[in-house]
Amino acid sequence: MDVAEVGAIAARIRAEVGKAVIGQTATVDLMLTALFCGGHILLEGPPGTAKTLLAQSFARSLSLDFGRIQFTPDLMPGDILGSNIFNFQTSTFTLTRGPVFCDLLLADEINRTPPKTQAALLEAMQERSVTVDGDTHVLSDRFTVIATQNPIEQQGVYPLPEAQLDRFLFKQTLDYPSREDELKVVEAHGSHAGMPDPVALGVQPVADSATVGAAIATVARVRLSPEIAGYVVDLVRSTRESADLETGASPRAGAMLALASRARAVLDGRDYVIPDDVKTLALPALRHKVVLSPAAEIEGRRVEQVIRSLIDQVAAPR
């Protein structure tokens, strides 16, 4: 598969998602970027901004094994991973697989469950495997998490552990739509109550597991020059040197940003990475991997402001 073919697949997926979700083009592009480089994405926004519908429509456009977990305060790790059940006929324990055994997992309102349960996804997201009662079970090669969450200022939510946030390739913040887009939403969905159904809206699968695998292989072949690699490293290291940040981004964040930049280049029809690919993805790739310093919090600064400032300060190669 070449770059043009990947671009054509991405265009078809955008068209299918657009049948159900109005606007959010930047978010769909980030979801495509995550899909084509095997990363996970976290969508954050206030209730009613189509986070769940966006994830469901994106999943519907792909012929992948889909699973969903509705995170609630009483959810337990076994509800995610599964558990061993004793079979009296064979006198052995048999694993009853949880919803994590799928290709594409929607973790809906992930921050409405305590950190103990959230941590059940750590191994799955990093190693694509789960361990139950000492036995390791391999997940799908395509295993991808699309998680949604409400802002931490909302009631009844828990902050995600830093180790789990670091496993997400992107954190995308969804805002309210423009007046024009909101008018289209009212006209399209204002005639019926309840959650719109992507199937009823005509969203059809346009890519299967083999196609996604071929796209991922194409992304891996994209050229990343030593100068661009150095730029990624300098940008990530600048987060550890900033006085406004108590904790900077990890080396894993740099490797993930480089891979995402390759996928971004492919979506733009190129087989090589340019600095603008890195700049475009730096904010969603780093905003959840750093922690503000107490002094910056007192001054009312935000993580987004600090990262944008670092992007402006770090010299990009020509």
Side-chain angles (χ1 to χ4, degrees), residues 64-69 77-84 95-106 120-121 123-124 128-132 135-145:
L64 300 178
D65 184 18
F66 177 64
R68 174 177 177 172
I69 304 173
D79 299 325
I80 299 174
L81 305 179
S83 58
N84 283 319
L95 176 66
T96 300
R97 297 189 170 195
V100 75
F101 287 88
C102 64
D103 294 322
L104 193 61
L105 177 67
L106 169 57
L121 284 174
E123 181 184 358
R128 287 185 167 85
S129 65
V130 297
T131 302
V132 180
D135 295 325
T136 300
H137 305 271
V138 179
L139 300 178
S140 165
D141 291 338
R142 298 281 81 81
F143 178 72
T144 301
V145 175

Side-chain angles (χ1 to χ4, degrees), residues 49 235 249 263 266 274-275 302:
T49 50
L235 190 57
V266 170
I274 62 175
R302 300 182 60 191

Side-chain angles (χ1 to χ4, degrees), residues 185-227:
V185 170
V186 171
E187 291 173 343
H189 305 302
S191 61
H192 52 273
M195 177 80 171
D197 183 5
V199 178
L201 294 172
V203 180
Q204 297 294 327
V206 292
D208 57 15
S209 181
T211 303
V212 174
I216 291 175
T218 301
V219 167
R221 296 194 299 268
V222 171
R223 296 194 302 273
L224 182 75
S225 69
E227 293 78 13

Side-chain angles (χ1 to χ4, degrees), residues 97-127:
R97 297 189 170 195
V100 75
F101 287 88
C102 64
D103 294 322
L104 193 61
L105 177 67
L106 169 57
D108 204 17
E109 298 194 76
I110 190 173
N111 61 338
R112 289 201 178 276
T113 195
K116 172 185 176 181
T117 303
Q118 295 171 8
L121 284 174
L122 290 178
E123 181 184 358
M125 294 176 66
Q126 180 62 26
E127 303 175 32

Side-chain angles (χ1 to χ4, degrees), residues 267-280:
L267 291 178
D268 282 347
R270 287 178 278 103
D271 63 353
Y272 56 90
V273 178
I274 62 175
D276 282 349
D277 295 325
V278 180
K279 290 181 179 181
T280 300

